[in-house]
Amino acid sequence: MTDMTARATWTPGPWSINGTAIEGAEDHDGLTQQVASIVDDATEWRANARLIAAAPEMATFLHWLEDSPDAISIDGGLSDEAEQRLRALLARIEGER
């Protein structure tokens, strides 16, 4: 298994949307760092914000796939766990969670 903290060079996740700001996880003092911001609250900008905010989770999922030999079967299908993780990630990106 790969250590994600050794690979990560970005602001630690999870990231969240707070108004027009995309913020990293709280530090030990309860403070967050702004990672990015969106121009306004329009539908397309909110969709972009959800995609950006999910970046750490996407990286974690992709590294998990890379490190999990049983995640993808020989015929190219996903394991049940991989499919559940993928669906949860897509739901977050698409604003369903």
Side-chain angles (χ1 to χ4, degrees):
M1 207 43 79
T2 304
D3 180 9
M4 276 300 301
T5 57
R7 289 185 186 174
T9 57
W10 52 77
T11 303
W15 294 355
S16 60
I17 302 168
N18 184 7
T20 59
I22 299 160
E23 300 175 337
E26 288 186 2
D27 63 16
H28 62 279
D29 293 324
L31 303 173
T32 60
Q33 177 181 348
Q34 184 170 325
V35 176
S37 62
I38 56 175
V39 175
D40 62 35
D41 218 10
T43 302
E44 185 175 318
W45 290 100
R46 297 297 290 173
N48 292 341
R50 286 193 307 272
L51 185 61
I52 294 166
E57 289 173 76
M58 286 188 276
T60 297
F61 178 69
L62 291 172
H63 287 301
W64 176 79
L65 279 177
E66 176 184 50
D67 296 339
S68 301
D70 296 333
I72 301 174
S73 67
I74 194 129
D75 65 358
L78 294 176
S79 69
D80 288 344
E81 181 180 3
E83 189 170 332
Q84 286 177 332
R85 291 178 72 156
L86 177 61
R87 289 183 190 280
L89 180 58
L90 288 172
R92 173 163 160 65
I93 292 167
E94 294 168 357
E96 297 172 13
R97 125 181 135 127

